[in-house]
Amino acid sequence: AQKITQTQPGMFVQEKEAVTLDCTYDTSDPSYGLFWYKQPSSGEMIFLIYQGSYDQQNATEGRYSLNFQKARKSANLVISASQLGDSAMYFCAMREEGRDDKIIFGKGTRLHILP
Amino acid sequence: GAGVSQSPSNKVTEKGKDVELRCDPISGHTALYWYRQSLGQGLEFLIYFQGNSAPDKSGLPSDRFSAERTGGSVSTLTIQRTQQEDSAVYLCASSLISVNTGELFFGEGSRLTVL
């Protein structure tokens, strides 16, 4: 069963607009962590942001924030004031910390920022 | 080293040959992960090590795939009797789970092409 679901294969957004990338997850483990990574066309994997299941507040890192809705098992990435350099593939990932620390990834969303 | 190092960066081989892919993690990182990424696709989990042991080998696609880690450091992913469907980028990542978020630090990948 798919544990990480990213329902948007591709998105087109106008520069300077905010964008929300969707991620839902499935786990019965009460202790888990959620990650977002960016993969530009160069292929490198860039860590963006982390949310722990017990964190009381939504994580923020600069222009990135994570809209964590635990009851809905949702961990959407919000990018404010998008820039051309934000064009990339974005992956949501989860680690089930009560099990074996394996980290699994969703299929990704390709984001295109339009000038 | 300063980052995760993978070798070779590119490997072209003939169908039926064996290949070895090497990963040298960040010094001190206890966890090491292998993923496979086909062109334009997501990251497929293969195996992960905690120290020298592999708690989860469930992602290995077939018995032609094996991996080991020695000395809690370098890991080798071996693919025997390669097939064309093995063509992909093989990504290695390491992590120090007990610190902060325990995010993955990725290498640049080994691109495998099976002719």
Side-chain angles (χ1 to χ4, degrees):
Chain A
Q2 186 78 284
K3 288 208 166 187
I4 297 284
T5 303
Q6 295 181 253
T7 57
Q8 307 150 309
M11 288 185 69
F12 290 83
V13 174
Q14 208 68 41
E15 188 181 10
K16 299 180 185 175
E17 290 184 352
V19 57
T20 298
L21 304 180
D22 295 341
C23 174
T24 56
Y25 58 92
D26 182 26
T27 182
S28 56
D29 191 338
S31 178
Y32 54 89
L34 297 157
F35 304 81
W36 277 93
Y37 280 83
K38 172 184 179 181
Q39 187 179 44
S41 56
S42 58
E44 63 185 308
M45 290 289 287
I46 302 168
F47 167 71
L48 296 178
I49 198 166
Y50 168 85
Q51 180 84 43
S53 58
Y54 293 116
D55 292 343
Q56 295 297 313
Q57 294 189 330
N58 286 346
T60 60
E61 289 287 346
R63 293 187 299 112
Y64 304 107
S65 61
L66 202 152
N67 184 2
F68 181 46
Q69 298 189 38
K70 196 169 182 176
R72 294 185 176 183
K73 294 187 176 177
S74 167
N76 298 341
L77 177 70
V78 180
I79 306 174
S80 63
S82 58
Q83 302 171 356
L84 295 178
D86 294 332
S87 294
M89 195 77 165
Y90 289 80
F91 293 101
C92 180
M94 176 175 69
R95 178 175 65 224
E96 294 175 298
E97 294 159 356
R99 293 186 60 181
D100 57 8
D101 289 316
K102 177 171 74 175
I103 298 179
I104 56 172
F105 285 76
K107 294 186 182 297
T109 295
R110 185 168 295 283
L111 177 64
H112 303 269
I113 305 298
L114 304 172
Chain B
V4 177
S5 177
Q6 291 189 246
S7 62
S9 54
N10 271 290
K11 176 72 175 179
V12 180
T13 190
E14 292 180 348
K15 178 181 172 181
K17 300 283 191 184
D18 297 352
V19 297
E20 282 191 354
L21 307 177
R22 175 188 166 106
C23 174
D24 199 345
I26 292 173
S27 179
H29 278 194
T30 55
L32 185 148
Y33 300 76
W34 284 99
Y35 295 90
R36 178 168 72 173
Q37 186 175 29
S38 300
L39 188 62
Q41 301 300 308
L43 276 70
E44 176 189 3
F45 170 81
L46 296 179
I47 189 170
Y48 117 92
F49 290 90
Q50 184 61 257
N52 289 336
S53 64
D56 193 326
K57 302 180 182 179
S58 64
L60 294 176
S62 74
D63 59 8
R64 296 186 295 105
F65 288 72
S66 63
E68 65 175 12
R69 188 181 185 194
T70 55
S73 181
V74 172
S75 176
T76 302
L77 177 68
T78 301
I79 309 172
Q80 295 179 310
R81 304 181 304 280
T82 52
Q83 303 293 314
Q84 288 182 333
E85 61 262 28
D86 299 335
S87 296
V89 175
Y90 290 81
L91 290 166
C92 175
S94 70
S95 169
L96 188 56
I97 295 173
S98 60
V99 174
N100 295 327
T101 68
E103 78 264 25
L104 296 175
F105 293 82
F106 281 85
E108 295 188 349
S110 291
R111 181 177 298 278
L112 174 65
T113 303
V114 182
L115 301 177

